Amino acid sequence: MARSKEFNENEVLQKAMELFWKQGYEKTSMQDLVEYMGIHRRSIYDTFGDKHSLFVKTLQRYDNQIEAKITTHVNTQESPCKAIRQLFMLAILRDELEPVGCLAVNSAVELSLHDFEVRELVSNSFSKTEQLLYALVQKGQKTGEVSSQFEAKKLSDLLHNSLVGLRVLAKTTNDKKKLEGIIDMTLSMLK
């Protein structure tokens, strides 16, 4: 008879995500995961597979959480420019318990050159954000809220690049005025 799990799978997966987010994939050992997640090594293997499989599951979880934040904070904005601003603000405002920066960007920098599966997950995540920005720019250009001086696709690609850069910069400074100034300057191209 199989033993029942003595832990909540979602809670320990959240802990694994936090640890990978703080330390990165390479720096996080299985022993680190055992200690941080508070479960036995065998339970990790039985429930999530090896370290890489666990990491992939945490990236998927992170992507789902970001989608939920976007649905709650960005997609509820009536104005395309306000929605774009809110998306940028999500990159710099964080829950005090969250690690600094963005797990997807961290993973892209650390692993995407040599880990196809991670590269695909990050690429898909980035693609969703690019599509959202493109839709918002197009909507803004149709309503006149966003200048039609630039092609919507090129403008949304530039915005996405700026957003990724902002996510990296947010790891190095907690100067909110500086980060908000960068957002203001970036979004000034929408006018």
Side-chain angles (χ1 to χ4, degrees):
M1 181 175 189
R3 291 179 56 192
S4 64
K5 292 181 184 173
E6 297 176 8
F7 58 89
N8 180 301
E9 197 171 315
N10 283 321
E11 288 176 9
V12 296
L13 186 58
Q14 181 71 24
K15 286 182 178 183
M17 183 186 78
E18 291 167 4
L19 188 61
F20 282 128
W21 193 350
K22 287 178 191 173
Q23 296 186 174
Y25 177 77
E26 295 293 339
K27 190 173 182 234
T28 302
S29 69
M30 280 304 288
Q31 187 58 39
D32 292 335
L33 289 163
V34 166
E35 291 171 10
Y36 197 81
M37 294 167 73
I39 62 174
H40 298 288
R41 184 181 302 255
R42 182 83 252 148
S43 295
I44 293 173
Y45 286 115
D46 290 346
T47 306
F48 303 107
D50 63 8
K51 176 182 161 183
H52 187 267
S53 297
L54 174 59
F55 182 71
V56 165
K57 285 177 175 66
T58 65
L59 273 178
Q60 292 165 336
R61 180 181 186 84
Y62 180 80
D63 189 54
N64 291 337
Q65 289 179 357
I66 294 302
E67 279 189 50
K69 279 186 178 182
I70 288 171
T71 298
T72 302
H73 299 288
V74 176
N75 293 342
T76 57
Q77 301 292 323
E78 289 185 29
S79 157
C81 285
K82 286 181 181 177
I84 293 169
R85 176 172 295 283
Q86 190 62 40
L87 185 61
F88 274 74
M89 292 302 291
L90 286 175
I92 65 169
L93 300 176
R94 64 184 183 84
D95 182 320
E96 289 302 314
L97 300 175
E98 282 182 356
V100 177
C102 169
L103 181 59
V105 171
N106 297 352
S107 301
V109 172
E110 181 183 10
L111 300 170
S112 65
L113 290 178
H114 63 282
D115 189 319
F116 177 78
E117 191 172 9
V118 169
R119 180 174 56 237
E120 286 297 307
L121 286 169
V122 170
S123 179
N124 288 337
S125 177
F126 284 1
S127 180
K128 286 186 241 179
T129 305
E130 289 169 348
Q131 291 169 11
L132 172 63
L133 285 166
Y134 180 57
L136 289 169
V137 168
Q138 280 188 312
K139 181 179 178 184
Q141 286 180 334
K142 284 179 185 169
T143 64
E145 189 177 345
V146 173
S147 169
S148 294
Q149 175 183 2
F150 304 107
E151 292 177 35
K153 178 70 173 122
K154 289 181 180 179
L155 183 54
S156 62
D157 287 346
L158 180 61
L159 286 170
H160 183 256
N161 184 68
S162 298
L163 180 60
V164 171
L166 186 67
R167 289 172 171 169
V168 172
L169 188 59
K171 286 182 65 89
T172 66
T173 183
N174 58 6
D175 184 343
K176 190 175 173 195
K177 283 189 179 198
K178 176 180 180 177
L179 296 172
E180 287 179 352
I182 291 169
I183 292 171
D184 290 342
M185 197 65 193
T186 300
L187 300 187
S188 70
M189 72 179 95
L190 296 175
K191 299 175 183 177

